[in-house]
């Protein structure tokens, strides 16, 4: 599939936005990397210019380091006041657009 998409991009001058949690083999396919956190663009770089890729085995290792750093930041933040937590949980129960499923990657 990735070979087909790459060929289509080259022949037609198209762009593929591939949003995934599976990174196997993407370091040889992707040209750019976008990292979004809390709905905000945190990084947008050419994969070939990504400093972390110089010392990493693969793209998964780089993304995993970003996620681990993000989790450390969350651990250092003060807990949300109970009133805000109650309101947030009530909103998530009402909204049909809020996912109740969570995905995690474990090595």
């Amino acid at each position: 599939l990735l070979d087909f998409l790459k060929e289509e991009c080259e022949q037609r001058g198209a762009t593929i936005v591939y949003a995934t949690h599976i990174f196997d083999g993407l370091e040889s396919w992707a040209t750019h990397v976008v990292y979004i956190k809390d709905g905000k663009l945190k990084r947008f770089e050419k994969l070939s210019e990504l400093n972390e890729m110089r010392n990493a085995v693969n793209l998964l290792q780089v993304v995993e380091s970003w996620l681990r750093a993000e989790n450390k930041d969350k651990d250092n933040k003060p807990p949300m006041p109970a009133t805000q937590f109650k309101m947030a949980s009530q909103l998530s129960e009402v909204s049909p657009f809020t996912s109740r499923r969570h995905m995690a990657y474990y090595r």
Side-chain angles (χ1 to χ4, degrees):
L1 175 64
L2 294 177
D3 289 339
F4 169 76
L5 294 173
K6 184 176 183 178
E7 186 178 320
E8 286 291 301
C9 287
E10 291 168 354
Q11 287 178 1
R12 300 173 190 262
T15 299
I16 301 292
V17 177
Y18 189 64
T20 185
H21 65 281
I22 301 171
F23 296 94
D24 296 340
L26 288 183
E27 55 276 338
S28 64
W29 184 79
T31 58
H32 293 73
V33 176
V34 174
Y35 180 56
I36 298 170
K37 178 183 173 192
D38 298 328
K40 295 179 183 163
L41 180 65
K42 294 297 182 180
R43 297 183 78 159
F44 174 66
E45 298 179 50
K46 287 185 177 181
L47 189 61
S48 61
E49 297 174 5
L50 193 63
N51 287 332
E52 291 95 334
M53 283 299 293
R54 294 188 179 120
N55 299 322
V57 175
N58 53 34
L59 184 57
L60 173 62
Q61 189 177 35
V62 172
V63 173
E64 183 180 9
S65 71
W66 293 345
L67 294 174
R68 289 187 185 279
E70 186 178 314
N71 280 339
K72 273 187 184 177
D73 289 344
K74 286 181 184 175
D75 291 342
N76 294 333
K77 287 184 181 177
M80 187 181 347
T83 55
Q84 285 183 346
F85 178 75
K86 184 177 180 185
M87 184 177 151
S89 69
Q90 287 173 346
L91 290 175
S92 66
E93 291 172 8
V94 173
S95 175
F97 302 107
T98 304
S99 174
R100 289 184 176 79
R101 295 176 186 239
H102 300 281
M103 179 176 50
Y105 170 78
Y106 296 99
R107 257 183 163 184

